[in-house]
Amino acid sequence: VLDLGSGCGTLGLLLCAKDPACHVTGVELSETAHRTATENIRRNQAAGRMQSICADLRQVSSLVPSGSFSCCVSNPPYFSGGPASRQLATARREDQCSLADLMQAAAWALKYGGEFFLVHRPERLAELIAKAAVHGLEAKHLRLVRHRGDGPISLILLRFRKGGKPGLLIDEIS
């Protein structure tokens, strides 16, 4: 698994805990988050199955061979700009990583038939699907998430397949 924008490594650690055969490589731009990920890997005794690379995911072609992963995951920045603030940290803004950058990185790293999983905001759905398609990633499964059963859809979970045929399954969880 390649975790694009891996932060402190939480998602990779969860994947490794769930599946003892899982190996995760995290790519993280922030030196601070990378150091924290490295420490989390050590504390969780996951060094044999997990690593963190401090690098810009836009340079993925110099980091990993093309088609070398069966799965990519990402919890990318949700917001496409606007004024910076303390409440909206850089990790949540696309200043350093656009959706096009993210899709290109996933498409490079994935083998044919590999899957890319990401979480995002519902208002960006059309843009996500369009940008993924440009890079040969077909939307296969969309899950709508509500924080409250009677509340609005607050997040979407998407699964793409590299080289996949058209056909999208949609479901909802509360």
Side-chain angles (χ1 to χ4, degrees), residues 76-85 88-97:
Y78 295 153
F79 304 100
S80 61
S85 70
L88 189 57
T90 302
R92 297 186 66 202
R93 293 169 31 100
E94 290 182 21
D95 297 337
Q96 304 295 320
C97 173

Side-chain angles (χ1 to χ4, degrees), residues 138-154:
E138 182 68 30
K140 300 304 294 174
H141 190 180
L142 167 62
R143 179 163 281 175
L144 309 172
V145 180
R146 298 174 192 270
H147 284 113
R148 293 185 327 265
D150 62 343
I153 295 166
S154 52

Side-chain angles (χ1 to χ4, degrees), residues 77-134:
Y78 295 153
F79 304 100
S80 61
S85 70
R86 287 185 183 155
Q87 291 79 25
L88 189 57
T90 302
R92 297 186 66 202
R93 293 169 31 100
E94 290 182 21
D95 297 337
Q96 304 295 320
C97 173
S98 70
L99 286 180
D101 295 332
L102 182 66
M103 297 303 176
Q104 183 175 10
W108 169 269
L110 284 172
K111 67 180 184 177
Y112 187 82
E115 295 187 312
F116 178 35
F117 297 84
L118 78 137
V119 59
H120 219 289
R121 304 281 300 176
E123 60 268 21
R124 307 278 309 268
L125 176 61
E127 183 182 6
L128 287 161
I129 291 174
K131 292 200 185 289
V134 168

Side-chain angles (χ1 to χ4, degrees), residues 13 19 23 40 51 56 62-63 67 72 76 84 87 92 94 111 116 118 120 139 142 147 159 172:
L13 288 169
D19 180 357
H23 286 78
N40 286 336
Q51 67 173 327
D56 188 332
S62 66
L63 303 172
C72 287
Q87 291 79 25
R92 297 186 66 202
E94 290 182 21
K111 67 180 184 177
F116 178 35
L118 78 137
H120 219 289
L142 167 62
H147 284 113
R159 176 174 54 92
E172 183 174 345

